Amino acid sequence: MRTFIVLLGPPGAGKGTQAQIVAETLQLAHISSGDLFRENLKGQTELGKQAQDFINRGELVPDDLTIAMVRDRLQRPDCAQGALLDGFPRTPAQADALTEMLADLDGKVVCVPCINVPSEVLVERLGGRWTCRAQGHVYHQLYNPPKETGKCDIDGSELYQRDDDKPETVANRIRVYLAQTSPLIEYYQKRGLLAEIDGTQEISAVTADLLAAIRKD
Ligand code: ADP
Ligand code: AMP
């Protein structure tokens, strides 16, 4: 049975930061739907063109496009043991689709950590976020700065500020999370899979809590 972990939490909670560390520790693939969309935007694929306006407005890309993209990604060989999902599912319809997809792949969701961080902290985190062009590694100008300004420690590529990290788009993304994604907290709680994590701690303490929650299952 393949094991899948779903990381829940608002934009800026630290899902990407933690997913990179936890996926490497547990030797699981890290699948970020946001990174998949950004690759499509960069490559100007048909999907990228269809998703672009939604992403720039801080809205969700429609479920059918998102589900098809993730379904495709889960077929790749690096998901043979399972994967850590970061940013997907984001609606109950996506969560239902995930359950169906995993049944076909002899897999299931085993744990859903939800990283909790208050909105005012999210705004500050996203305002100072710098992202690596090559692989989406994330930094923060104050809380997790790169060794060399503007350059990724891991792959040396250029760091940039995402267009959707500007304050008005961030405010909309937080609203969208509360309206459309936060119902997944109850969705997974009812299924006995939710683990609440305090995301206001420093990065290493959040990692420790996440690993403890995942290993309990
Ligand atoms: P998400 O993937 O949930 O949107 P990120 O992992 O990209 O969030 O983190 C958002 C920003 O907050 C980044 O700039 C990151 O460096 C920073 N960050 C992540 N975790 C913490 C933390 N525990 N404390 C302070 N800053 C953090
Ligand atoms: P993220 O990198 O997770 O912050 O996602 C960036 C943007 O990509 C979001 O604001 C959405 O526009 C889009 N996106 C990412 N994942 C999803 C998803 N599961 N469903 C719909 N839209 C998504």
Side-chain angles (χ1 to χ4, degrees), residues 20 38 42 128-142 144-163 165:
Q20 278 165 10
R38 280 183 288 279
K42 198 158 89 180
R129 172 160 72 179
W130 288 83
T131 303
C132 124
R133 283 240 187 254
Q135 298 182 70
H137 299 117
V138 283
Y139 298 87
H140 189 280
Q141 59 197 27
L142 298 176
N144 184 25
K147 291 195 181 77
E148 205 180 312
T149 306
K151 197 166 156 186
C152 178
D153 292 351
I154 301 166
D155 58 36
S157 79
E158 182 204 13
L159 302 181
Y160 74 105
Q161 287 189 290
R162 281 171 43 180
D163 275 348
D165 279 348

Side-chain angles (χ1 to χ4, degrees), residues 18-215:
Q18 296 299 330
Q20 278 165 10
I21 304 168
V22 171
E24 190 165 326
T25 308
L26 300 179
Q27 288 294 295
L28 287 174
H30 167 201
I31 299 182
S32 154
S33 46
D35 284 350
L36 293 175
F37 280 126
R38 280 183 288 279
E39 282 165 26
N40 279 280
L41 286 183
K42 198 158 89 180
Q44 276 296 292
T45 64
E46 195 48 43
L47 173 62
K49 288 178 193 160
Q50 287 172 307
Q52 191 158 18
D53 289 345
F54 295 102
I55 295 172
N56 289 341
R57 288 196 297 262
E59 288 167 13
L60 295 186
V61 179
D63 283 337
D64 54 342
L65 296 177
T66 306
I67 290 165
M69 175 182 77
V70 172
R71 180 181 288 119
D72 202 48
R73 177 65 184 84
L74 290 175
Q75 310 295 330
R76 300 238 293 261
D78 63 339
C79 299
Q81 304 303 318
L84 190 60
L85 300 178
D86 155 16
F88 180 90
R90 257 171 155 104
T91 62
Q94 292 181 15
D96 288 341
L98 177 65
T99 306
E100 281 172 31
M101 285 183 231
L102 295 188
D104 291 343
L105 292 172
D106 189 30
K108 68 172 183 180
V109 175
V110 295
C111 183
V112 181
C114 180
I115 306 179
N116 296 312
V117 173
S119 295
E120 60 279 9
V121 179
L122 300 173
V123 173
E124 203 190 340
R125 285 193 184 179
L126 294 176
R129 172 160 72 179
W130 288 83
T131 303
C132 124
R133 283 240 187 254
Q135 298 182 70
H137 299 117
V138 283
Y139 298 87
H140 189 280
Q141 59 197 27
L142 298 176
Y143 308 133
N144 184 25
K147 291 195 181 77
E148 205 180 312
T149 306
K151 197 166 156 186
C152 178
D153 292 351
I154 301 166
D155 58 36
S157 79
E158 182 204 13
L159 302 181
Y160 74 105
Q161 287 189 290
R162 281 171 43 180
D163 275 348
D164 61 346
D165 279 348
K166 48 179 191 292
E168 54 285 16
T169 318
V170 164
N172 196 36
R173 286 162 63 205
I174 294 171
R175 272 196 298 274
V176 165
Y177 171 80
L178 293 173
Q180 299 186 51
T181 305
S182 70
L184 289 182
I185 295 172
E186 200 187 324
Y187 179 105
Y188 284 118
Q189 198 161 37
K190 276 189 184 150
R191 288 161 178 79
L193 294 171
L194 193 79
E196 304 260 14
I197 305 289
D198 175 5
T200 63
Q201 309 172 86
E202 65 177 61
I203 292 173
S204 58
V206 178
T207 307
D209 284 359
L210 276 171
L211 288 171
I214 293 166
R215 286 176 171 145

